[in-house]
Amino acid sequence: MATAATERLSRLIFNVRHVPQLLFPPSPSTQHNEAINVWTHLETALILLLRFQQLSQRVDFAQDPHAQPLLIIIAASITYLTFSTLAHLLQAKSEFWHYSFFFMDYVGVAIYQYGSALVHYYYTIEPSWHERVRPFYVPAAVLLAWLSCAGSCYAKYRYHEATQLLGRLCQEAPSGLAYALDISPVIHRIYSTRSAARDDPALLYHKCQVLFFLIGAFFFSHPYPEKWFPGKCHFFGQGHQIFHVFLVLCTLAQIEAVVLDYESRRQIYSELHGDSAHNFSALCLFTVTCSVLTAAYMARKVKHKLSFKEE
């Protein structure tokens, strides 16, 4: 089963022959230090669109309320990948658009954080862990997703290289807490699953998503390998580029894991959540609204700041 799951993940990652050929290879004009950041997320967004098309042939997203969290995580993943692509591609247009596109990127991250928390809570969680975290899990997920957006926007607006530590604290502390909460159902399930059920292919994908995220987080937080090879990683091999690669691998593994959980654990999650799927969808809309309003407010502050500087 583990071998079959590994082969399935490999096919998902590398079988991109349906993606328009104009994406491969990038033209010489796109060979700059943002090329990897743009293309990894753009290609993965297209792969997920194809995956959604495949799933829609056997999953009734319109009529099955239990499919709503799955729809949310797919939409959230495509959203954050698209927003990140736009931020890295267009942020050099002007100083105002530099801030605005990255604020939009942070909105996408917040939506994805809530979507991740939701599917882990809805499909992956074991009843014993659900009993422990039920009173606070979803409200905390909403709050931390918004704080992640607000903290990142504020750090981008307020702090510069001279105060980088404070800026990274504003950005990474809410995201770190959000991830600790979001991934807790996965970690609990991995360690509590009996040995007889450890060949469940969903568990392999969950383990992969945890591993890929931790590796990506390391390269996000540390300037490697450019610190090892000064002046050699301007265009290829930057830590942030490696972070992008492992982040999309994490997303692809996560999607496959929750699809398998959706298909195989229906009796468990239907008993745990009943008809509350619509409530979780409403909270997703609430998270989106708060994050968009926060980003718009910060964009207005940037515009005011820049207009004052020009005077």
Side-chain angles (χ1 to χ4, degrees):
M1 294 292 288
T3 302
T6 304
E7 292 176 353
R8 186 177 176 187
L9 179 59
S10 299
R11 289 197 301 269
L12 176 66
I13 295 169
F14 296 109
N15 184 18
V16 294
R17 61 181 179 273
H18 298 293
V19 179
Q21 292 299 311
L22 61 89
L23 299 178
F24 303 101
S27 65
S29 64
T30 63
Q31 298 290 345
H32 52 80
N33 61 350
E34 288 283 22
I36 301 296
N37 296 329
V38 171
W39 291 104
T40 50
H41 279 192
L42 178 59
E43 291 167 9
T44 306
L46 294 173
I47 290 171
L48 288 179
L49 282 172
L50 293 172
R51 188 71 178 107
F52 172 71
Q53 183 183 29
Q54 294 172 356
L55 287 172
S56 63
Q57 296 175 4
R58 69 175 194 263
V59 177
D60 190 353
F61 289 106
Q63 300 297 325
D64 181 10
H66 292 299
Q68 289 182 13
L70 181 58
L71 178 62
I72 287 172
I73 189 57
I74 295 174
S77 299
I78 294 172
T79 298
Y80 99 78
L81 291 165
T82 302
F83 285 3
S84 178
T85 297
L86 292 173
H88 286 281
L89 183 64
L90 302 175
Q91 51 92 12
K93 181 173 179 167
S94 70
E95 189 172 2
F96 171 75
W97 287 112
H98 172 85
Y99 283 99
S100 298
F101 276 115
F102 275 106
F103 291 164
M104 183 173 66
D105 185 20
Y106 304 145
V107 170
V109 171
I111 298 170
Y112 176 65
Q113 284 183 348
Y114 174 78
S116 295
L118 175 59
V119 292
H120 294 159
Y121 180 77
Y122 202 93
Y123 301 123
T124 305
I125 199 166
E126 291 291 325
S128 58
W129 190 248
H130 178 267
E131 186 66 25
R132 295 183 185 181
V133 302
R134 181 180 178 181
F136 64 86
Y137 183 96
V138 175
V142 172
L143 176 62
L144 289 172
W146 173 77
L147 283 176
S148 177
C149 176
S152 295
C153 289
Y154 182 75
K156 185 71 175 177
Y157 168 79
R158 177 68 175 81
Y159 297 109
H160 304 286
E161 291 295 326
T163 53
Q164 188 178 26
L165 179 61
L166 290 174
R168 299 204 75 160
L169 184 63
C170 288
Q171 183 178 20
E172 295 177 14
S175 296
L177 291 173
Y179 183 74
L181 177 71
D182 300 351
I183 205 66
S184 63
V186 175
I187 299 300
H188 177 267
R189 181 171 162 196
I190 289 173
Y191 282 99
S192 65
T193 300
R194 297 176 181 176
S195 57
R198 289 189 182 276
D199 61 347
D200 180 358
L203 278 181
L204 176 59
Y205 286 114
H206 281 306
K207 292 175 183 177
C208 286
Q209 70 147 320
V210 173
L211 177 63
F212 292 150
F213 180 87
L214 293 177
I215 295 174
F218 171 80
F219 284 104
F220 178 82
S221 303
H222 297 82
Y224 298 109
E226 57 264 35
K227 190 173 182 179
W228 295 330
F229 307 101
K232 305 295 185 182
C233 303
H234 290 314
F235 299 101
F236 180 78
Q238 297 175 5
H240 195 78
Q241 294 171 343
I242 298 173
F243 158 70
H244 271 228
V245 171
F246 278 100
L247 183 60
V248 299
L249 291 175
C250 170
T251 301
L252 292 173
Q254 179 191 46
I255 295 296
E256 291 307 301
V258 296
V259 167
L260 290 170
D261 285 341
Y262 165 78
E263 293 175 339
S264 64
R265 291 168 57 88
R266 192 175 190 91
Q267 182 177 355
I268 296 175
Y269 62 72
S270 60
E271 291 179 358
L272 288 177
H273 306 298
D275 58 354
S276 60
H278 296 295
N279 296 333
F280 297 136
S281 299
L283 285 173
C284 179
L285 180 60
F286 177 76
T287 304
V288 172
T289 302
C290 291
S291 299
V292 169
L293 290 176
T294 300
Y297 171 75
M298 295 304 300
R300 287 187 61 185
K301 288 183 67 68
V302 167
K303 189 173 183 179
H304 177 74
K305 178 182 178 180
L306 294 177
S307 62
F308 180 78
K309 184 169 65 174
E310 290 175 357
E311 294 174 0

